[in-house]
């Protein structure tokens, strides 16, 4: 490797100069999930989101007919302030970056290596958030990403407990069989078909564990086999959904008890995007190591739990 020597001062300068960029780097670590969700930047603690319900409609001409105002069912997208203090050896990160650049034919002489080192650390922190995007449970006394905020499955379970998500409300479907490679196709199809006509008429995502998608593909292959329209083994969209329901298998859904059918616009991921409370600093307190201190805002929420936009599936466990 070329002789590269970066100092804590250079790292600190890059962290300060590119503060906004560095604070947004965790979003890149969330990319595998955010490709199927909606990012809401610039939220400091709380923003009211929700769905507008307006029952007003045209009728035969009548200048005296009036209707009540618009009803907005609000939900709070809450971001929580999280922090990290991490000692690391920048030279180890440099070696990794150098190897990647060499393979792609780039040269370090034109690269701000200090900037890349800090960005690499922040991206890694974003990956930890991504890993608990569905399962996190807010615990103010905790020390991990899983303690910072309430994940999508956690929020859904709280709504189920409160009966605001239920079979009666038509936004909950309860599986009566454990999904396996012999029944996955029919079970997932029944799940989708139980949704409202409005939900089934729009492009949606079905968020499922990787194992469930593999079961679906195996079952589909053995059920349909060599039928002419069975072009590929990997299935991206649910059969029978007219190409509207995309199967989204994510590692962070492993061991999940709940799955979701919803449009991507309903899955909100909130960040601070450089709000005043957020910070990033680099210091040296130990020989050979530098210390990254960072704070950022993060949280998730459903824009609405209306059955026209959301159908939670409760998986059978036995």
């Amino acid at each position: 490797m070329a002789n590269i020597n970066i100092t804590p001062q250079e790292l600190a300068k890059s962290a300060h100069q590119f503060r906004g960029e560095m604070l947004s780097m965790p979003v890149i670590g969330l990319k595998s999930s955010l490709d199927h969700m909606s990012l809401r930047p610039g939220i400091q603690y709380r923003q009211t989101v929700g769905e507008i319900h307006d029952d007003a409609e045209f009728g035969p001409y009548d200048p005296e007919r009036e209707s009540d105002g618009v009803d907005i069912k609000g939900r709070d997208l809450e971001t929580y302030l999280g922090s990290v203090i991490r000692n690391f050896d920048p030279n180890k990160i440099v070696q990794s970056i150098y190897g990647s650049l060499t393979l792609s034919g780039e040269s370090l002489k034109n690269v701000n290596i200090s900037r890349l080192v800090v960005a690499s650390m922040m991206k890694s922190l974003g990956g930890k958030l991504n890993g608990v995007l569905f399962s996190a449970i807010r615990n103010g006394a905790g020390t991990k990403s899983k303690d910072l905020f309430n994940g999508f499955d956690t929020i859904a379970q709280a709504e189920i407990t409160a009966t605001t998500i239920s079979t009666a409300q038509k936004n909950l479907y309860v599986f009566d069989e454990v999904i396996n490679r012999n029944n996955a196709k029919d079970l997932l199809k029944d799940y989708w078909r139980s949704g409202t006509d409005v939900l089934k008429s729009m492009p949606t995502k079905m968020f499922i564990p990787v194992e469930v998608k593999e079961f679906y593909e195996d079952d589909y292959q053995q059920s349909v086999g060599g039928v002419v329209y069975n072009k590929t083994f990997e299935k991206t969209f649910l059969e029978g959904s007219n190409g509207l329901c995309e199967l989204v298998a994510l590692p962070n859904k492993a061991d999940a008890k709940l799955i979701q059918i919803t449009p991507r616009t309903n899955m909100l991921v909130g960040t601070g995007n450089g709000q005043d409370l957020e910070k990033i600093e680099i210091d040296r307190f130990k020989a050979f190591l530098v210390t990254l201190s960072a704070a950022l805002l993060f949280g998730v929420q459903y824009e609405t739990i209306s059955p026209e936009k959301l159908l939670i599936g409760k998986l059978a466990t036995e």
Side-chain angles (χ1 to χ4, degrees):
M1 186 180 78
N3 184 22
I4 301 169
N5 182 28
I6 55 175
T7 66
Q9 291 75 21
E10 290 169 332
L11 291 170
K13 181 179 178 181
S14 287
H16 175 75
Q17 183 177 356
F18 303 105
R19 174 182 176 276
E21 176 187 326
M22 294 302 129
L23 288 172
S24 67
M25 286 304 296
V27 169
I28 296 179
L30 291 154
K31 185 179 185 303
S32 62
S33 296
L34 282 177
D35 284 345
H36 307 284
M37 300 174 181
S38 293
L39 181 66
R40 289 286 181 91
I43 297 177
Q44 185 161 313
Y45 286 137
R46 185 172 296 180
Q47 182 182 90
T48 299
V49 298
E51 186 177 31
I52 297 176
H53 293 265
D54 188 355
D55 293 330
E57 56 184 294
F58 282 105
Y61 180 77
D62 181 352
E64 302 299 324
R65 185 177 60 247
E66 298 178 355
S67 60
D68 295 332
V70 175
D71 177 30
I72 301 178
K73 294 186 177 180
R75 296 181 61 80
D76 287 335
L77 171 54
E78 188 168 2
T79 59
Y80 299 89
L81 186 64
S83 65
V84 63
I85 300 175
R86 176 76 170 178
N87 297 320
F88 68 99
D89 182 353
N91 291 314
K92 290 184 178 180
I93 299 177
V94 168
Q95 292 171 5
S96 175
I97 293 172
Y98 181 80
S100 298
L101 293 173
T102 300
L103 288 174
S104 61
E106 296 184 53
S107 172
L108 279 178
K109 66 181 181 181
N110 295 320
V111 176
N112 185 334
I113 193 64
S114 297
R115 179 180 179 182
L116 291 178
V117 167
V118 180
S120 177
M121 288 293 296
M122 294 299 289
K123 180 181 176 182
S124 175
L125 292 170
K128 296 293 196 307
L129 292 173
N130 186 55
V132 296
L133 202 59
F134 289 87
S135 60
I137 300 175
R138 170 66 179 176
N139 175 13
T143 60
K144 306 291 186 181
S145 294
K146 67 178 182 178
D147 305 311
L148 176 59
F149 62 102
N150 288 317
F152 286 112
D153 286 356
T154 302
I155 294 170
Q157 184 56 58
E159 299 285 358
I160 291 171
T161 301
T163 69
T164 46
I165 289 180
S166 67
T167 54
Q169 298 284 346
K170 297 183 179 180
N171 51 9
L172 176 66
Y173 177 86
V174 180
F175 286 82
D176 56 8
E177 294 181 56
V178 176
I179 297 176
N180 59 50
R181 59 175 41 87
N182 297 314
N183 62 15
K185 180 171 69 69
D186 288 339
L187 290 182
L188 293 185
K189 189 187 297 185
D190 289 345
Y191 168 41
W192 181 79
R193 285 181 174 175
S194 73
T196 64
D197 288 346
V198 174
L199 182 67
K200 291 185 291 186
S201 69
M202 65 179 68
T204 55
K205 312 274 187 177
M206 183 188 293
F207 293 94
I208 54 179
V210 172
E211 182 183 51
V212 170
K213 185 170 186 289
E214 291 173 345
F215 285 157
Y216 177 84
E217 291 169 342
D218 289 345
D219 189 23
Y220 190 95
Q221 186 68 14
Q222 67 184 6
S223 299
V224 178
V227 174
V228 65
Y229 63 80
N230 186 19
K231 305 290 186 182
T232 61
F233 179 76
E234 290 78 12
K235 300 302 170 188
T236 305
F237 292 91
L238 181 72
E239 182 195 41
S241 70
N242 296 314
L244 289 174
C245 184
E246 182 181 359
L247 299 174
V248 179
L250 296 172
N252 52 19
K253 287 292 285 181
D255 302 320
K257 302 300 186 292
L258 302 176
I259 59 179
Q260 294 87 354
I261 296 177
T262 191
R264 69 175 298 167
T265 55
N266 197 38
M267 302 286 281
L268 304 182
V269 178
T271 66
N273 199 39
Q275 292 281 351
D276 292 341
L277 291 170
E278 298 187 310
K279 73 169 190 174
I280 178 169
E281 296 177 357
I282 299 288
D283 298 285
R284 164 162 276 176
F285 301 112
K286 296 182 178 181
F288 306 113
L289 299 177
V290 296
T291 301
L292 167 71
S293 304
L296 55 76
L297 292 155
F298 189 82
V300 306
Q301 183 59 276
Y302 300 101
E303 186 173 47
T304 177
I305 59 172
S306 162
E308 286 75 32
K309 290 287 185 70
L310 178 67
L311 180 61
I312 296 295
K314 185 175 182 179
L315 298 176
T317 57
E318 58 181 28

